[in-house]
Amino acid sequence: MAVTGTTGQAGAEAAPGAATAGTVDPGEVARFERLAETWWDPHGPMRPLHRFNPVRVRYIRDLAANRFGRDIRADAPLAGLSVLDIGCGGGVLSEPLARLGASVTGLDPAEKNLAVARAHAAGEGLSIDYRAQTVESVAASGERFDIVLAMEVVEHVADVETFVAATCAAARPGGLLVMATLNRTAKSFALAIVGAEYVLRWLPRGTHDWHKFVTPEELAAAVSRQGFAVTERIGVVYRPLTDEWRTSPDLSVNYMIAATRA
């Protein structure tokens, strides 16, 4: 099945604090702003994201531990590492990464999402730098991060190639890039759109546009063109009997890729 929970973004910064133009899709931003108050409701429209989140966190943690020589058994295995969470939404992924010790910066073009994210982080005693800024403006400023994440964002942007270029540019030399999105297959149409939006009603209708889905080959090629080495492609599948998501060799619907910068 499909999972979503981030806002289509990237693009050029129009003014301080603004995130407009470029690859930002205004329709996607508006859609997620309407859901802003539901980000932290594990039984609401973001329920699939909350169920999906543990597999994302473990995957990122393990990749980072391998890349940067960390012990996943440590209390804060990501301590000292900077993380950029692009399309952070309400902070559902940013917060557990901060708890693992990372210095997290979250970007989102929807101000309502950021207000929810900041309030929730404050309530949890977490320090996370949430910005209404685009990844292109961050990259253009020269700011670089150890780990750059674009999780469930690619399928919402207006220009994949431009978005990938900006995302890659934000990673420092030796850094790690992790992206998650939806494959463009008949199976993904059946499960991610018909199943998740119309039958099970996990997601509001219109959340996804199948034509904007990206195949693993297309995404890996775009990343490789930026001088990154794609080190892994892995699928994520839903197990209805246990109501949980797991990594899998099946990339036909949800998948993640990891890449490193030389």
Side-chain angles (χ1 to χ4, degrees):
M1 288 302 187
V3 63
T4 193
T6 48
T7 311
Q9 62 133 38
E13 189 175 33
T20 58
T23 60
V24 171
D25 186 326
E28 298 283 1
V29 175
R31 181 176 297 112
F32 283 99
E33 279 197 318
R34 288 194 293 270
L35 297 172
E37 298 303 322
T38 70
W39 278 105
W40 287 98
D41 179 0
H43 305 293
M46 296 300 176
R47 182 181 185 278
L49 182 65
H50 285 274
R51 301 301 300 168
F52 188 70
N53 211 39
V55 73
R56 301 193 302 176
V57 174
R58 287 193 299 270
Y59 185 66
I60 294 164
R61 179 202 63 190
D62 292 352
L63 285 171
N66 182 62
R67 181 66 175 172
F68 301 106
R70 302 305 180 89
D71 183 354
I72 62 172
R73 297 168 296 181
D75 291 336
L78 303 187
L81 295 175
S82 58
V83 173
L84 181 65
D85 183 9
I86 302 167
C88 63
V92 173
L93 179 59
S94 295
E95 286 199 12
L97 295 177
R99 289 192 181 92
L100 290 174
S103 174
V104 180
T105 297
L107 307 181
D108 202 278
E111 287 283 3
K112 289 183 180 179
N113 290 345
L114 293 174
V116 169
R118 290 180 184 124
H120 196 274
E124 295 294 314
L126 296 171
S127 177
I128 299 173
D129 182 10
Y130 287 118
R131 308 177 190 174
Q133 191 176 5
T134 66
V135 66
E136 284 187 345
S137 66
V138 168
S141 74
E143 194 171 4
R144 299 293 181 263
F145 297 82
D146 297 306
I147 304 168
V148 177
L149 308 174
M151 312 299 284
E152 291 73 50
V153 177
V154 176
E155 69 271 23
H156 298 293
V157 302
D159 184 331
V160 172
E161 192 73 30
T162 299
F163 175 76
V164 169
T167 299
C168 290
R172 71 165 178 80
L176 173 66
L177 170 70
V178 187
M179 306 181 85
T181 189
L182 286 154
N183 199 350
R184 192 176 62 255
T185 62
K187 185 176 180 180
S188 71
F189 182 83
L191 295 182
I193 295 180
V194 177
E197 296 183 17
Y198 289 85
V199 178
L200 296 176
R201 297 184 181 179
W202 280 0
L203 305 169
R205 292 182 181 183
T207 297
H208 292 115
D209 178 351
W210 182 83
H211 295 93
K212 294 174 74 173
F213 291 2
V214 182
T215 70
E217 294 76 20
E218 291 168 344
L219 187 56
V223 169
S224 296
R225 283 192 287 272
Q226 302 304 316
F228 279 65
V230 176
T231 58
E232 186 170 88
R233 307 179 196 185
I234 192 166
V236 186
V237 299
Y238 177 66
R239 304 296 188 191
L241 293 180
T242 55
D243 188 26
E244 63 180 349
W245 293 83
R246 294 183 181 179
T247 54
S248 165
D250 182 1
L251 281 68
S252 61
V253 184
N254 291 86
Y255 69 93
M256 300 185 284
I257 72 166
T260 55
R261 184 173 190 175

